[in-house]
Amino acid sequence: MGAGRKPRVGIIGTGAIGGFYGVMLARAGFDVHFLLRSEYPAVLEHGLQVNSSQHGKLTLKPAQAYANAEQMSPCDWLLVGAKTTSNLDLAPAIIQAAATDAKVLVLQNGLDVEDDLRAVLPDSLHLLGGLCFICVHRAGPGQIEHQALGAVNLGYHSGPASADATLSQAIVEEGAALFREAGLDSQAMSNLQQARWQKLVWNVPYNGLSVLLRASTTPLMADPASRELIQDLMQEVLQGAAACGHAIPAAYAQQLFKSTEHMPDYWPSMYHDFLHQRPLELAAIYAAPLAAARAAGCELPKIQALYQALSFIDRHHA
């Protein structure tokens, strides 16, 4: 990357997450390139639109949109915003769009989501995990509704800097600085695995229960039975994390629970996947943490029951 030039950013999977962060980075002056599939014609014609409760109505037109990664300029940073269920399919596009020494940032929920991708990427690419604290969803092709929040926490997973803690942390700090320059909160995390367990404290209860109970956050928080179940599920995530060597304070779960009471009413991403008959992200959000906890000698019965019910729904909802 030449001196004085801002990093070129590629968005691999321009859905709600990739679209929102890509538009925010483009507004901040970054050279952002968007890879799309079915929505390519609409975005090419109309650009990308974000309707944000915080930032107002944002339009990026024209958007630098591509239907094929071979047409993209080599990118210094690649943000993977697609669902974990499609990670292996994305590897060729990531490799094609990556500049030398590129940083690949996986903006996805769940545990160990980077592992499968790492196995099919060149050793020369840095792989990072990103945890998005945001209420956002697609309203239509190239149209994104942003209700609240927007912070991104980053950690280094693997790559050329794995053996150099100073270098890997510098890369993570560089990534966090991109988002901060775009006006978003972003923290560099020294322990990615710990951070992913922390994110599960919210994702395990609210994603699954939105599908199982067909309920958004406001009714889930208003009913005594679902409130108790949410707290029980959060407590099991803390138990699983502790068994795996990642102690999370009980106060952290309480804080997430309280903050959800004050959030705008929100349908989590798994409900949108269910609604549109897409595969649910059960492997990353449920199977992986259950397996990790079990390997550490810890059973999580309520999370297991939720996972079993969601597995039935996932197999039959289409």
Side-chain angles (χ1 to χ4, degrees):
M1 189 171 67
R5 177 174 78 77
K6 284 190 176 184
R8 180 180 292 127
V9 179
I11 308 295
I12 307 293
T14 308
I17 291 287
F20 173 79
Y21 289 113
V23 168
M24 293 298 288
L25 288 164
R27 283 177 77 237
F30 289 95
D31 181 18
V32 184
H33 298 251
F34 298 87
L35 181 65
L36 300 111
R37 289 182 180 174
S38 60
E39 298 189 5
Y40 171 72
V43 172
L44 192 65
E45 183 175 354
H46 303 293
L48 284 161
Q49 295 159 358
V50 175
N51 183 27
S52 171
S53 62
Q54 288 173 257
H55 309 287
K57 290 186 183 295
L58 312 176
T59 300
L60 181 63
K61 185 180 179 183
Q64 298 188 92
Y66 306 85
N68 192 315
E70 293 174 4
Q71 301 164 339
M72 296 174 73
S73 301
C75 296
D76 308 297
W77 281 85
L78 289 166
L79 276 51
V80 180
K83 295 291 180 182
T84 55
T85 48
S86 62
N87 272 0
L88 292 180
D89 297 334
L90 296 174
I94 292 170
I95 294 165
Q96 184 68 49
T100 304
D101 198 41
K103 291 86 177 175
V104 180
L105 175 61
V106 180
L107 298 176
Q108 295 173 333
N109 289 322
L111 199 64
D112 301 329
V113 297
E114 299 84 5
D115 290 358
D116 288 343
L117 200 51
R118 175 76 274 170
V120 291
L121 291 181
D123 294 341
S124 59
L125 296 182
H126 301 275
L127 186 60
L128 294 86
L131 300 113
C132 306
F133 298 85
I134 188 168
C135 298
V136 67
H137 67 273
R138 282 176 62 263
Q143 299 177 351
I144 298 152
E145 292 288 325
H146 172 231
Q147 290 175 259
L149 309 175
V152 187
N153 292 345
L154 283 67
Y156 195 87
H157 179 270
S158 57
S162 288
D164 186 337
T166 302
L167 178 57
S168 62
Q169 192 62 14
I171 289 169
V172 177
E173 294 283 1
E174 179 191 334
L178 299 185
F179 292 102
R180 288 199 290 266
E181 194 167 339
L184 300 161
D185 289 338
S186 187
Q187 303 295 323
M189 309 294 288
S190 58
N191 187 327
L192 177 59
Q193 201 73 348
Q194 166 100 14
R196 288 211 165 275
W197 273 105
Q198 288 176 334
K199 187 79 191 299
L200 287 168
V201 175
W202 196 93
N203 277 318
V204 163
Y206 292 103
N207 268 291
L209 292 179
S210 73
V211 173
L212 192 63
L213 303 180
R214 311 289 196 271
S216 52
T217 54
T218 297
L220 285 173
M221 295 303 288
D223 186 274
S226 52
R227 284 173 68 88
E228 184 178 2
L229 181 52
I230 289 163
Q231 290 179 310
D232 290 348
L233 289 164
M234 284 184 164
Q235 185 58 39
E236 284 198 355
V237 176
L238 299 189
Q239 292 167 8
C244 295
H246 306 292
I248 301 171
Y252 178 81
Q254 292 161 8
Q255 175 195 339
L256 286 184
F257 187 79
K258 289 283 186 190
S259 66
T260 307
E261 288 187 306
H262 303 294
M263 264 174 36
D265 189 29
Y266 179 61
W267 288 97
S269 60
M270 190 170 285
Y271 183 82
H272 289 281
D273 290 338
F274 167 75
L275 193 64
H276 297 287
Q277 299 186 349
R278 296 189 290 258
L280 305 183
E281 293 185 286
L282 302 183
I285 296 177
Y286 296 97
L290 282 166
R294 187 172 297 119
C298 178
E299 294 294 330
L300 308 173
K302 292 196 174 182
I303 297 176
Q304 176 70 24
L306 179 56
Y307 172 55
Q308 289 167 320
L310 291 168
S311 297
F312 175 89
I313 291 170
D314 191 40
R315 283 191 289 271
H316 294 87
H317 77 284

